[in-house]
Amino acid sequence: MALSSSNVNDHLYSTNLALGDLFNNHTFAHDPSGLIPIIDSWVPYLQNSPSSVTTTAASALTRLREMIQNGDRVGASALLQTLGEQASRSASNVHEWAGNHLHNGIGDQMRHLGQLLIMASGNLKTYVA
C-alpha cells in the first residue's frame, strides 16, 4: 500500500485507538502480545516506502515483534521508549492535515503515538522480573 497523507493519518488514528484500548484493558503489562497485530499492520506499510526513515522504522518494529515473541520485556521496553521519543520528535516537523478526526493533524497523531509508546514502555518496565 502506498503511503499518502490521508491513509497514514487514518492508520495512525486507528493505531492510537487500538493502543489506547490495549492499554486500558489492563492486560498489556502482563501480556504484551496484543501489540503484534498492530505491529503487523504497520510493517508492510513502512517497508514498501522509498524513504530510509520509514524502512528503518519497519526494521525497528520487526525487532520489537521478535522481542515480544521471545519474552524480552527489557529489550521491548527500551525499544518502545526509543520509538516513542522518535515519534514525538518527528511530530514537531509535521504540519500536514488530513482526515476527519477531532485532531486531524498527522503531527497530532504522531505526538499521541509517541505518548502511547512511552506509556507502553513504562508499563512493561513495571512488570519486568
Side-chain angles (χ1 to χ4, degrees):
M1 178 178 284
L3 293 171
S4 73
S5 294
S6 62
N7 66 13
V8 167
N9 195 54
D10 288 344
H11 202 71
L12 279 168
Y13 180 75
S14 296
T15 297
N16 289 340
L17 290 176
L19 288 171
D21 288 346
L22 180 65
F23 303 149
N24 286 333
N25 75 15
H26 304 292
T27 62
F28 174 76
H30 301 289
D31 180 15
S33 66
L35 269 181
I36 291 176
I38 296 169
I39 292 168
D40 289 348
S41 76
W42 274 102
V43 170
Y45 236 163
L46 300 171
Q47 281 177 329
N48 296 322
S49 171
S51 166
S52 64
V53 172
T54 56
T55 56
T56 299
S59 295
L61 288 175
T62 299
R63 281 194 325 274
L64 179 60
R65 185 185 204 288
E66 291 168 359
M67 289 174 181
I68 291 169
Q69 286 179 315
N70 294 330
D72 180 0
R73 298 168 71 81
V74 172
S77 175
L79 186 51
L80 282 165
Q81 179 75 31
T82 299
L83 290 170
E85 291 169 1
Q86 289 172 342
S88 296
R89 268 194 308 276
S90 67
S92 66
N93 299 318
V94 178
H95 305 290
E96 205 167 336
W97 293 84
N100 298 315
H101 313 298
L102 180 60
H103 298 287
N104 348 356
I106 291 175
D108 290 338
Q109 297 297 336
M110 290 293 293
R111 274 185 286 286
H112 189 203
L113 177 63
Q115 292 168 345
L116 289 166
L117 295 175
I118 290 168
M119 183 176 75
S121 171
N123 287 343
L124 282 183
K125 283 181 192 173
T126 302
Y127 288 92
V128 172

